[in-house]
């Protein structure tokens, strides 16, 4: 049996095992996807586990998408550009870091009919997911990105990465005034994720404008407080489930070499979230 792991912390509420195990089963593969709860101090040991012969690769999530790079043998193009890894695969016995979050996020936007060209973006977060999302948006020709992050130093690192790749992109840090004029607001932090469902990344008293688009990378719960309040302001909303499925489908293709059964993955993820009667 081949194994694939999800490395992260906390990951108890991840839908990835349900989604990938359904995909492996649908493709007749004797593979298993399992959670590997890993804190920062355990990361080296967890990566060593990936080198065992039974392991075909991994997904990487909060808080390790940047830190894992130091333990890998090589990086694919998008992981190198963004400085963030969400997928590890094996090539000639080597551990190669890739980033499927960028393409997964952009596919989710496309499916929802959202075109970010010329849009003014406000992005909550400056971690691994924020790197992927902002890179995809910058590549798609947004007019500017305002990064709102708890730690300003990390926001500056993200801005420096973006400036290096997109020198003409307008960038600002921690100017929450920008929220009222934003065309697209993205939450790339875990704020609002179960069990902290009463939280929102929006500062108290701030609102988004009617016609704006609010996107939450959080997918559990399916509708977060951030999205509920944005909808009340008249914003279009998009939760994190479709990005989860698309980034997962691309990872599936990298590990197995097969075209992913995307509809099976959507169904399994929705069922696990409880949207199709599952638990
Ligand atoms: N739907 C999907 O497919 C998908 C894909 C990727 C990620 N995600 C979700 O996106 C979220 C971020 O993931 P990540 O990999 O980027 O994590 P990460 O690398 O650990 O970064 C977390 C970011 O959130 C901020 N943050 C964390 N806790 C916070 C709090 N209590 N208050 C304010 N800011 C806080 C951090 O700020 P500091 O810099 O100040 O620590 C950092 O900017 C997670 O919930 C993850 O599940 C979803």
């Amino acid at each position: 049996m081949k194994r694939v792991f999800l490395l992260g912390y906390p990951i108890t509420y991840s839908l990835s095992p349900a989604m990938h195990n359904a995909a492996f089963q649908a493709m007749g593969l004797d593979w298993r996807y399992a959670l590997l709860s890993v804190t920062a101090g355990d990361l080296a040991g967890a990566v060593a586990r990936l080198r065992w012969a039974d392991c075909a690769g991994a997904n990487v999530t909060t808080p390790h998408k940047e830190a894992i790079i130091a333990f890998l043998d090589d990086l694919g193009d998008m992981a190198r550009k963004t400085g963030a890894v969400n997928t590890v695969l094996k090539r000639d016995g080597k551990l190669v870091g890739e980033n499927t979050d960028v393409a997964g996020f952009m596919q989710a936007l496309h499916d929802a009919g959202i075109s970010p060209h010329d849009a003014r973006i406000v992005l909550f977060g400056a971690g691994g997911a924020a790197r992927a999302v902002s890179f995809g948006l910058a590549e798609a020709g947004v007019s500017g990105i305002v990064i709102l992050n708890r730690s300003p130093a990390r926001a500056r690192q993200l801005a420096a990465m973006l400036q290096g790749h997109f020198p003409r992109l307008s960038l600002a840090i921690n100017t929450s005034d920008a929220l009222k004029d934003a065309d697209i607001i993205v939450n790339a932090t875990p704020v609002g994720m179960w069990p902290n469902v009463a939280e929102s990344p929006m500062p108290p008293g701030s609102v988004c404008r009617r016609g704006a688009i609010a996107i939450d990378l959080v997918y559990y719960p399916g509708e977060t407080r951030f999205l509920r309040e944005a909808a009340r302001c008249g914003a279009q909303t998009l939760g994190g489930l479709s990005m989860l499925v698309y980034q997962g489908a691309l990872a599936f293709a990298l590990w197995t070499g097969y075209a992913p059964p995307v509809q099976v993955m959507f169904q399994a993820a929705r069922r696990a979230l409880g949207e199709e009667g599952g638990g």
Side-chain angles (χ1 to χ4, degrees), residues 3-12 14 16-17 32-40 42-52 54-55 57-64 68:
R3 293 180 192 279
V4 178
F5 296 103
L6 173 64
L7 276 53
Y9 187 86
I11 48 174
T12 322
S14 174
S16 291
R32 290 288 180 281
Y33 188 106
L35 301 178
L36 209 55
S37 189
V38 178
T39 57
D42 303 331
L43 187 56
V47 176
R49 173 66 184 87
L50 304 185
R51 295 186 187 279
W52 293 20
D54 68 338
C55 177
N59 277 140
V60 185
T61 187
T62 181
H64 304 309
I68 197 167

Side-chain angles (χ1 to χ4, degrees), residues 9-11 16 60-67 84-86 101 104-105 124-133 147-155 158 187-193 196 199-201 216-220 239-248:
Y9 187 86
I11 48 174
S16 291
V60 185
T61 187
T62 181
H64 304 309
K65 285 183 178 178
E66 296 154 84
V85 164
N86 80 319
D101 277 340
F105 177 71
F124 289 107
R131 282 177 171 263
V133 161
I147 302 163
L148 302 182
N149 195 53
R150 182 175 59 181
S151 70
R154 204 164 179 197
L158 171 54
N187 178 32
T189 77
V191 177
M193 186 170 78
N196 304 313
E199 294 177 2
S200 163
D216 206 332
L217 267 52
V218 171
Y219 54 78
Y220 191 76
L241 189 104
S242 54
M243 175 183 176
L244 175 82
V245 173
Y246 286 123
Q247 62 75 33

Side-chain angles (χ1 to χ4, degrees), residues 15-183:
L15 304 182
S16 291
M19 176 175 81
H20 282 293
N21 285 325
F24 293 147
Q25 194 179 1
M27 298 296 288
L29 295 169
D30 186 19
W31 289 41
R32 290 288 180 281
Y33 188 106
L35 301 178
L36 209 55
S37 189
V38 178
T39 57
D42 303 331
L43 187 56
V47 176
R49 173 66 184 87
L50 304 185
R51 295 186 187 279
W52 293 20
D54 68 338
C55 177
N59 277 140
V60 185
T61 187
T62 181
H64 304 309
K65 285 183 178 178
E66 296 154 84
I68 197 167
I69 289 174
F71 302 101
L72 300 176
D73 303 315
D74 203 357
L75 292 179
D77 186 47
M78 196 48 86
R80 194 182 306 281
K81 284 177 173 161
T82 56
V85 164
N86 80 319
T87 300
V88 178
L89 56 129
K90 280 186 166 167
R91 195 176 292 139
D92 304 326
K94 294 197 162 137
L95 293 179
V96 181
E98 252 304 355
N99 192 307
T100 68
D101 277 340
V102 179
F105 177 71
M106 297 312 290
Q107 183 63 45
L109 292 195
H110 182 265
D111 265 22
I114 297 168
S115 165
H117 188 73
D118 269 344
R120 291 162 295 186
I121 308 294
V122 171
L123 173 66
F124 289 107
R131 282 177 171 263
V133 161
S134 58
F135 194 96
L137 291 169
E139 254 191 339
V142 298
S143 76
I145 302 180
V146 175
I147 302 163
L148 302 182
N149 195 53
R150 182 175 59 181
S151 70
R154 204 164 179 197
R156 285 195 293 275
Q157 287 168 10
L158 171 54
M161 180 279 277
L162 291 168
Q163 203 75 77
H165 291 291
F166 308 97
R168 294 211 301 264
L169 179 67
S170 157
L171 286 163
I173 291 171
N174 287 358
T175 51
S176 51
D177 260 13
L179 279 164
K180 62 181 185 336
D181 300 319
D183 299 309

Side-chain angles (χ1 to χ4, degrees), residues 198-231:
E199 294 177 2
S200 163
M202 295 285 274
S206 59
V207 287
C208 53
R209 68 172 182 79
R210 189 164 199 81
I213 299 169
I215 303 172
D216 206 332
L217 267 52
V218 171
Y219 54 78
Y220 191 76
E223 194 187 48
T224 55
R225 177 176 170 187
F226 166 51
L227 294 188
R228 264 198 320 277
E229 292 183 348

